[in-house]
Amino acid sequence: MSNIIDSLEWRYAVKKFDALKRISDENIEKLKQAFNLTATSYGLQPIKMVVVDNKKIQENLVPHSFNQPQVGQASHVLVLCVEKSEMKNTVASYFHKVQDVRGTSDEIIAPYKKMMLTSFENKKEEEIFIWSKHQAYIALGNLMTVCAIEKIDSCPMEGFISQGYKDVLGLEALSLEPVLVLPIGIRAEDDMFADFKKVRKEVSESVISIK
């Protein structure tokens, strides 16, 4: 427990990465696995992660990130995206996977599948997008925790121009809408923010216990 808390105390939103240092392939694979294992509503995984490992492309993304230099300096940039696809296809794909992995019969699956499809049929496109974006935030939190445990620095970003990212990364062709960005790498030795004390409420102020 103390190691986890120590890791979370260690992490901060990096303001300057060491552009010469890289995250190992092994740790990138861990982050891919962590993303894929993240819990999502219904288990549908309506999100994808784009891993950018190309300095030229990263530099091209900086103007679309309100000139936040971390995007260009980072070892890698993780872009969390919502899939733009028909939910009926997403649901069908999920239940095919359930049957492949668990061997669950159509008889057992049918009622749950019908309920799920009805739920999405009654939602507007914007509602489904917001729901999907919420899943991306769950993944972001999971990734940041894994980064902290593995001593990988990160800087979560909501501030970027979606269309710019789509243009640079060719996301339109992949039917992806970028919603969150997470540059990762190693903090620069002269990033003064590394030594700043965390400003947080007391646990007693932010957590309510009901017994």
Side-chain angles (χ1 to χ4, degrees):
M1 177 67 174
S2 62
N3 288 340
I4 293 173
I5 299 303
D6 288 346
S7 294
L8 294 175
E9 286 279 3
W10 172 85
R11 72 147 298 278
Y12 72 107
V14 171
K15 299 300 183 288
K16 184 178 181 181
F17 288 103
D18 187 330
L20 300 179
K21 293 183 178 178
R22 285 180 51 80
I23 301 301
S24 70
D25 291 342
E26 180 185 1
N27 274 338
I28 293 300
E29 188 58 34
K30 285 181 184 178
L31 292 175
K32 291 178 182 178
Q33 293 286 347
F35 174 81
N36 196 50
L37 288 168
T38 296
T40 58
S41 182
Y42 297 122
L44 288 178
Q45 294 180 279
I47 53 177
K48 286 188 182 292
M49 181 171 73
V50 177
V51 180
V52 183
D53 178 15
N54 182 302
K55 276 290 187 287
K56 177 65 175 175
I57 293 175
Q58 290 171 226
E59 288 166 6
N60 289 340
L61 289 173
V62 172
H64 306 294
S65 310
F66 297 103
N67 293 314
Q68 296 177 87
Q70 299 98 309
V71 172
Q73 300 162 348
S75 170
H76 297 69
V77 177
L78 311 182
V79 184
L80 306 191
C81 304
V82 168
E83 283 191 280
K84 295 186 288 186
S85 62
E86 293 284 340
M87 285 309 300
K88 63 182 179 181
N89 296 333
T90 301
V91 171
S93 177
Y94 170 73
F95 282 107
H96 282 313
K97 179 67 73 175
V98 169
Q99 290 183 305
D100 287 344
V101 174
R102 297 176 179 170
T104 311
S105 68
D106 286 332
E107 184 180 14
I108 292 174
I109 282 175
Y112 188 41
K113 184 177 180 180
K114 181 179 179 181
M115 177 275 293
M116 205 180 290
L117 287 170
T118 300
S119 173
F120 286 112
E121 285 170 1
N122 292 329
K123 288 182 170 60
K124 297 177 181 177
E125 187 176 329
E126 181 63 19
E127 290 179 295
I128 294 174
F129 176 77
I130 292 171
W131 167 82
S132 299
K133 189 174 181 178
H134 289 165
Q135 313 314 305
Y137 276 96
I138 297 171
L140 177 68
N142 201 32
L143 288 167
M144 289 171 63
T145 299
V146 174
C147 281
I149 291 170
E150 296 295 330
K151 293 296 183 285
I152 299 169
D153 286 300
S154 66
C155 181
M157 294 180 177
E158 293 179 293
F160 67 98
I161 300 166
S162 177
Q163 188 59 54
Y165 269 66
K166 285 191 281 188
D167 292 343
V168 172
L169 300 176
L171 300 181
E172 293 276 15
L174 301 174
S175 296
L176 296 177
E177 183 71 30
V179 292
L180 294 166
V181 177
L182 185 68
I184 60 172
I186 306 298
R187 64 188 68 175
E189 291 184 6
D190 60 347
D191 185 358
M192 65 180 184
F193 288 87
D195 297 324
F196 284 10
K197 290 185 177 180
K198 271 191 174 20
V199 179
R200 295 290 190 275
K201 294 179 180 179
E202 296 296 326
V203 173
S204 59
E205 294 180 275
S206 62
V207 177
I208 299 172
S209 297
I210 300 175
K211 297 182 180 181

